[in-house]
Amino acid sequence: MNSDRIYSVLVPVLRSTVKSRMGAGRRRYFDAVPVPPGRVLFIGDSITEGGLWGDLFPELATSNRGIGGEATYDLLERVDAAINAPVAVSLMIGTNDLHGPRRFRETAQIAARLEEIVRRIRDRAPAATLLVNPVLPRTAYFAPRIRELNARYADAAARHGATYVDLWPRFAADDGAIRAEYARDNLHLTPAGYLAWAEELRPHLAPFGAKEPA
């Protein structure tokens, strides 16, 4: 059976358990250890959390504020606290909305929440480089919705002076599924997937490589 069909059935049932077990500990840690100023901030869900950003970008002062299992409505609860004078922000969020509670799955709703996150980042860090990453491809089952969602993400980024980082050509196969070498379960990235993502981000983050951490 298609993994995305399975997620769509099971995740809404298990969501409260997943959030409490996967996210509560990291949220407590983030509350106790604020992001230092002057960082390149990576924020999002498990795809961001799994990135070894300090190793992928050794020339940058980075902070990883990814939490597994989170959707746009979860990130809205904590994004303000994560923004502390960053030099750049890499944002990737929304894939968990696709298989979350049915009342939150509409593409327009997801995009509206993403735009609110972007607006809050812009308000708190108007001078920072803001990189809006798309929802990555999964299986072909979700491909039409993800394409529509990413078009809305690109529009939201443009409205707020952010840069939309179009990862779709790099990550998607001809049928709209994620390329096999980039994902281990049609969702979470392999090392090759992280290397490919970092390669796409590198030109946007290059200006900050010579700066010392604050």
Side-chain angles (χ1 to χ4, degrees):
M1 186 176 180
N2 182 284
S3 60
D4 283 335
R5 291 179 182 271
I6 295 172
Y7 285 135
S8 296
V9 173
L10 291 182
V11 170
V13 177
L14 301 174
R15 172 169 165 73
S16 60
T17 300
V18 170
K19 184 175 180 179
S20 63
R21 291 186 178 180
M22 293 180 66
R26 282 183 71 80
R27 283 193 175 214
R28 286 194 296 270
Y29 183 86
F30 294 164
D31 289 341
V33 184
V35 177
R39 297 301 179 100
V40 175
L41 175 67
F42 293 85
I43 192 165
D45 51 36
S46 60
I47 301 175
T48 293
E49 181 183 351
L52 299 177
W53 301 112
D55 297 333
L56 289 163
F57 294 99
E59 73 279 15
L60 302 178
T62 64
S63 287
N64 186 335
R65 283 304 194 258
I67 296 182
E70 285 207 335
T72 53
Y73 37 85
D74 300 305
L75 186 53
L76 278 168
E77 297 173 354
R78 65 182 181 91
V79 66
D80 293 341
I83 306 303
N84 182 22
V87 295
V89 179
S90 172
L91 169 66
M92 180 182 281
I93 195 71
T95 197
N96 290 315
D97 296 69
L98 295 170
H99 56 240
R102 293 187 183 278
R103 66 185 184 279
F104 296 136
R105 289 184 188 180
E106 289 296 325
T107 302
Q109 292 179 320
I110 301 170
R113 292 190 295 268
L114 177 280
E115 185 159 5
E116 175 62 14
I117 292 168
V118 169
R119 185 192 65 77
R120 291 191 191 180
I121 295 172
R122 265 284 164 257
D123 285 349
R124 295 183 68 86
T129 293
L130 176 51
L131 306 178
V132 176
N133 295 275
V135 172
L136 291 175
R138 294 173 49 156
T139 67
Y141 175 73
F142 273 153
R145 290 178 64 199
I146 295 175
R147 287 193 183 98
E148 178 187 350
L149 183 59
N150 286 340
R152 292 176 181 270
Y153 275 27
D155 289 343
R159 281 192 291 272
H160 294 273
T163 298
Y164 178 72
V165 184
D166 188 5
L167 301 175
W168 190 268
R170 181 77 176 260
F171 278 79
D174 290 342
D175 63 352
I178 194 165
R179 296 181 187 276
E181 66 269 28
Y182 289 157
R184 52 186 170 83
D185 56 0
N186 299 316
L187 177 59
H188 298 96
L189 298 184
T190 61
Y194 281 107
L195 288 168
W197 185 10
E199 187 174 325
E200 297 293 326
L201 292 176
R202 185 161 280 109
H204 304 288
L205 299 178
F208 310 108
K211 296 184 179 180
E212 294 295 327

